[in-house]
Amino acid sequence: MDKIVDFTMIRKEKEDRLLTFSAKHIEEFQYFVEREVNIREKVKAKHIFRQKNEIEFIDFTNSEELLFQDWFTYDYLTVKGLTIYQSYVTSFSKNQMHPLHSVIHALFMASVLEPFKVIKIENNHIYAEKLLTKEKCEINIMESNKRKGIKEEEVIFLRTIPIFEKLLCISGIFVQKDIDVVNNLLNDINKSEDNWRTFLKKYSIKYTWAKDSTSSIKK
């Protein structure tokens, strides 16, 4: 008698394998950023970051430093015109490549800091609505990612990659309590010639960081 194929179990095994691989990949990438990226590049990036966000003070809070690190690793462009993540990808040799690397690299490079409205939080999952598309989603949060202080109905910014029908958070979680800033984001996207994903890749940091809802985008 033929064996019955349990497609649900197979799918779950693939999902778990991809989640484990993604978590390991994030750790390896963070090590690269901490140990391999030139310190002068980080100093230059922080100067540009302050200019973009009209920051006058020197010391960042832990959350602000985490936001800078996210922008630095995924959106900041080096003198070669590459993001730090793209530089990381080019450092791979063929014998380092795992079959899943090509998939993970594409997903990470396409990710943007995106706004979500929190519906509910259960264990290591956030159920939310994508603010720009109104799509309902389930976001898997890794154990290492702190999410204290997040409340239902709040708007949060985070970076995700799709893992089958769920999303995996690969960044910190940043709460934007100023509804005027959120409304400005929605209005500015509607006026922009860019699609929402391209717009967020360029300017999301302004609305994630912004404490003054009247500040304008520096292009």
Side-chain angles (χ1 to χ4, degrees):
M1 184 176 179
D2 293 337
K3 292 183 178 180
I4 298 175
V5 179
D6 190 337
F7 289 104
T8 301
M9 180 177 293
I10 293 174
R11 185 183 181 86
K12 181 66 168 59
E13 289 175 351
K14 288 183 176 179
E15 181 179 310
D16 290 343
R17 188 159 61 247
L18 192 52
L19 283 170
T20 300
F21 186 85
S22 298
K24 184 174 184 295
H25 181 70
I26 290 172
E27 289 182 4
E28 292 172 348
F29 176 48
Q30 289 175 338
Y31 181 87
F32 172 85
V33 175
E34 292 172 2
R35 301 297 179 90
E36 302 297 329
V37 177
N38 192 305
I39 186 64
R40 287 176 294 182
E41 197 76 69
K42 294 181 181 180
V43 172
K44 176 186 173 185
K46 186 157 286 190
H47 176 71
I48 294 173
F49 184 80
R50 293 181 192 282
Q51 287 184 323
K52 279 182 171 290
N53 294 289
E54 300 176 350
I55 301 168
E56 296 180 357
F57 54 87
I58 296 176
D59 295 328
F60 290 167
T61 64
N62 290 339
S63 178
E64 290 165 349
E65 182 66 31
L66 190 63
L67 181 55
F68 163 73
Q69 290 294 338
D70 181 89
W71 173 82
F72 174 63
T73 53
Y74 293 105
D75 297 332
Y76 164 74
L77 294 179
T78 67
V79 69
K80 294 181 180 180
L82 300 175
T83 65
I84 299 299
Y85 188 82
Q86 288 171 329
S87 299
Y88 171 66
V89 172
T90 60
S91 71
F92 275 71
S93 63
K94 289 184 178 180
N95 61 357
Q96 287 180 296
M97 294 293 286
H98 183 281
L100 286 176
H101 268 132
S102 58
V103 175
I104 289 297
H105 289 333
L107 294 176
F108 272 63
M109 285 191 282
S111 67
V112 295
L113 269 177
E114 183 181 351
F116 297 80
K117 186 174 183 179
V118 178
I119 297 174
K120 66 176 180 178
I121 303 171
E122 289 184 354
N123 300 320
N124 289 331
H125 293 82
I126 296 177
Y127 297 86
E129 177 185 270
K130 289 190 172 188
L131 211 59
L132 302 179
T133 65
K134 304 303 180 184
E135 176 187 355
K136 299 292 193 302
C137 56
E138 180 180 346
I139 306 169
N140 192 338
I141 307 299
M142 289 183 288
E143 290 285 351
S144 59
N145 201 334
K146 295 181 180 179
R147 51 187 176 83
K148 293 180 180 179
I150 302 173
K151 301 176 183 177
E152 294 179 3
E153 300 298 316
E154 281 188 324
V155 173
I156 58 176
F157 281 76
L158 48 87
R159 191 180 297 270
T160 65
I161 60 171
I163 303 291
F164 292 93
E165 295 179 356
K166 300 177 184 178
L167 298 176
L168 172 65
C169 177
I170 62 171
S171 70
I173 302 173
F174 310 102
V175 179
Q176 178 51 274
K177 295 182 179 293
D178 192 332
I179 193 62
D180 288 335
V181 172
V182 176
N183 288 335
N184 281 350
L185 169 61
L186 299 178
N187 290 333
D188 290 341
I189 286 179
N190 286 334
K191 295 175 185 176
S192 175
E193 295 180 357
D194 293 327
N195 63 49
W196 66 268
R197 184 172 292 277
T198 301
F199 184 92
L200 289 178
K201 191 69 176 175
K202 292 179 179 178
Y203 307 121
S204 183
I205 190 67
K206 289 293 297 185
Y207 304 93
T208 313
W209 175 280
K211 296 179 180 179
D212 179 1
S213 60
T214 63
S215 63
S216 58
I217 302 174
K218 286 187 176 181
K219 298 187 179 181

